[in-house]
């Protein structure tokens, strides 16, 4: 029996070669120890952090940051809490100094009810930050036009939401997400926000997305560590399914046994 060789699973994003396609957040965990254990078992190699987690005057020297550094993984600072391009740009510049990276997850919130990003301010901020040498990971909706505008100003990575932040509703508009994937085959696409359970992550990966970023679904689970392990497996399964070629939907029934009503041994007589 032929044994299939394991396919090289490394991929590139923001100039870094990685093996895990799961990006994980660092907020909301019941304890720092739980956060550390969850991140470790997830296998994630990128962790998002907020500049606002740092205490005034401490810079990057505090217990939380000590744990993050001990994990030896890539840090993706975010501009969470920003409501204008100006505020996001200022936060990004400060984050570059504190965390020592040109990576930035760009978040400019336009609506406090559903935490939807402001498309106009996000594009404006992205253009400025890219011109300043940042590798911008913009959080956006699943709107194709906004995605085009972000690509036009130089974004090589897009992070459309699956659904509202923290909602756990999964992929509200898979058709929109599929359209973005088809329109930008050369860009790295990460589903960010709304993922509530492992099957949501698998679905995102089966659509051909390069990765999934989540936080609440792990941190707020009854057992965050076991949930982190579940999401690790879900992302891997979804990617493998995408690469293997997921069966297309049909509008009609199709028997799995090709010769209906004939015993299988008669086919070989």
């Amino acid at each position: 029996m032929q044994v299939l060789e394991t396919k090289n699973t490394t991929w590139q994003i923001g100039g870094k070669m990685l093996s895990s396609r799961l990006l994980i957040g660092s907020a909301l965990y019941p304890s720092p120890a739980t956060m550390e254990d969850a991140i470790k078992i997830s296998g994630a190699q990128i962790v998002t952090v907020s500049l606002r987690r740092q205490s005034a005057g401490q810079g990057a020297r505090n217990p939380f940051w000590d744990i993050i550094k001990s994990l030896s993984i890539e840090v993706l600072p975010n501009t969470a809490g920003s409501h204008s391009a100006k505020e996001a740009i200022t936060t990004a510049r400060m984050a570059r100094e504190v965390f020592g990276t040109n990576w930035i997850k760009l978040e400019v919130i336009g609506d406090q009810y559903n935490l939807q990003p402001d498309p106009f301010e996000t594009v404006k901020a992205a253009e400025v930050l890219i011109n300043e040498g940042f590798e911008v990971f913009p959080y956006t909706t699943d709107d194709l036009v906004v995605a085009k505008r972000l690509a036009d100003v130089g974004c090589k990575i897009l992070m459309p939401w699956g659904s509202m932040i923290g909602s756990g509703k999964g992929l509200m508009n898979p058709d929109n997400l599929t359209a973005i994937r088809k329109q930008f085959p050369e860009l790295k696409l990460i589903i960010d926000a709304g993922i509530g359970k492992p099957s949501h992550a698998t679905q995102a990966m089966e659509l051909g997305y390069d990765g999934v970023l989540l936080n609440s679904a792990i941190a707020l689970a009854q057992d965050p560590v076991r949930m982190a392990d579940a999401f690790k497996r879900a992302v891997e399964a979804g990617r493998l399914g995408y690469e293997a070629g997921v069966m297309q939907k049909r509008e009609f029934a199709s028997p799995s046994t090709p010769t209906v009503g004939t015993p299988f041994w008669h086919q070989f007589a």
Side-chain angles (χ1 to χ4, degrees), residues 51 77-78 90-101 103-104:
L51 182 67
N78 63 47
T90 300
T91 302
R93 290 167 177 165
M94 293 172 63
R96 180 163 57 181
E97 294 298 319
V98 171
F99 297 107
T101 178
W103 282 14
I104 192 70

Side-chain angles (χ1 to χ4, degrees), residues 27-79:
L28 305 177
Y29 293 90
S31 71
T34 300
M35 177 195 73
E36 181 177 7
D37 290 343
I39 293 175
K40 284 181 177 178
I41 201 168
S42 74
Q45 293 170 293
I46 298 177
V47 59
T48 60
V49 297
S50 173
L51 182 67
R52 299 170 193 273
R53 289 290 298 271
Q54 308 305 319
S55 301
Q58 284 188 310
R61 295 184 177 86
N62 67 22
F64 165 79
W65 182 233
D66 288 341
I67 292 174
I68 297 298
K69 287 193 297 183
S70 73
L71 296 171
S72 298
I73 59 180
E74 302 297 333
V75 172
L76 176 59
N78 63 47
T79 63

Side-chain angles (χ1 to χ4, degrees), residues 170-184:
L171 309 187
M172 292 191 303
N173 297 303
D175 288 344
N176 291 11
L177 296 171
T178 299
I180 293 174
R181 177 70 284 177
K182 289 181 178 179
Q183 183 71 32
F184 303 105

